[in-house]
Amino acid sequence: AAEQSDGKGLKVAVWNAELFDAKGMCGGSACSAECRDKRRWIEEYIDGAEPDVVGILEVIASLKQLRVIRKWLRPRGYEVALLAGEGGSRREPGVFTNANAIVVAVRRSTVQLVSYSRRAERVIGVEVRVKAERRMQRVCFMHGSVKSAGDSPGEHPVRSFPHQLLQAKTWLAEKG
């Protein structure tokens, strides 16, 4: 996990969970040993570090699993936003999976989730209100893509890291 503070009191953390299946987030038979280990690690980290905003990258999840994710994180004091998985970066055209979702958890005691939106493939922009400081803050979480076959040379392909970064920077700069 990587942590970052904005210098004003907002603590943001991000972790690439590498194929963390949302179906197993609440335990039970759908949860493999690897899934349980990842879940336990995230819980211990969140409980110990108490970040205000957490991005969990490379989750296997669709909007159908949002209820399961909320059930897991709400008792820990977090509200959840989800950018549903759009598949692997090396998938064949027309093949859909729920891989590479991004889960954003916002600590209810310190920040309020105002809005969130997809900024590009595997890029979610989240706007929160920092309660103690009465200010709005934007945060982006991004899981890098690789270039797609058939992209035009000289342009940032839609499925590329430069395109993702440009979309994130543009959105972050919109409100200063």
Side-chain angles (χ1 to χ4, degrees):
E3 269 183 39
Q4 182 72 36
S5 172
D6 69 352
K8 299 177 186 174
L10 184 69
K11 190 175 185 181
V12 178
V14 62
W15 186 53
N16 184 338
E18 191 177 3
L19 301 175
F20 184 35
D21 195 340
K23 291 177 185 173
M25 284 184 178
C26 287
S29 61
C31 196
S32 67
E34 182 180 21
C35 184
R36 277 192 297 277
D37 290 345
K38 289 177 183 184
R39 179 176 173 232
R40 188 176 14 252
W41 188 92
I42 292 169
E43 289 170 351
E44 288 172 4
Y45 175 79
I46 286 174
D47 292 346
E50 296 183 333
D52 299 305
V53 183
V54 181
I56 306 171
L57 312 180
E58 207 173 319
V59 176
I60 301 170
S62 69
L63 291 176
K64 291 179 184 178
Q65 283 87 35
L66 184 55
R67 197 171 93 210
V68 171
I69 298 166
R70 283 183 174 145
K71 183 179 175 184
W72 173 48
L73 290 169
R74 271 198 179 142
R76 306 198 113 66
Y78 287 84
E79 186 58 48
V80 174
L82 173 70
L83 177 63
E86 299 180 78
S89 62
R90 294 175 184 88
R91 70 183 183 273
E92 296 294 321
V95 175
F96 184 79
T97 72
N98 292 321
N100 294 310
I102 300 175
V103 172
V104 177
V106 176
R107 195 163 138 214
R108 291 189 311 260
S109 63
T110 57
V111 293
Q112 176 186 3
L113 178 62
V114 175
S115 66
Y116 63 95
S117 61
R118 178 188 186 276
R119 307 315 309 165
E121 183 176 357
R122 299 182 183 185
V123 180
I124 187 170
V126 180
E127 191 164 21
V128 297
R129 185 177 67 81
V130 182
K131 292 179 178 181
E133 300 166 22
R134 297 183 183 176
R135 68 179 170 97
M136 302 297 279
Q137 180 68 51
R138 285 183 164 193
V139 179
C140 270
F141 292 101
M142 177 172 67
H143 184 252
S145 283
V146 296
K147 186 176 176 179
S148 297
D151 287 325
S152 303
E155 294 180 13
H156 291 308
V158 173
R159 293 184 65 215
S160 70
F161 180 75
H163 176 74
Q164 291 173 304
L165 190 57
L166 176 64
Q167 296 306 310
K169 283 181 174 182
T170 300
W171 183 75
L172 288 169
E174 282 177 5
K175 288 200 175 177

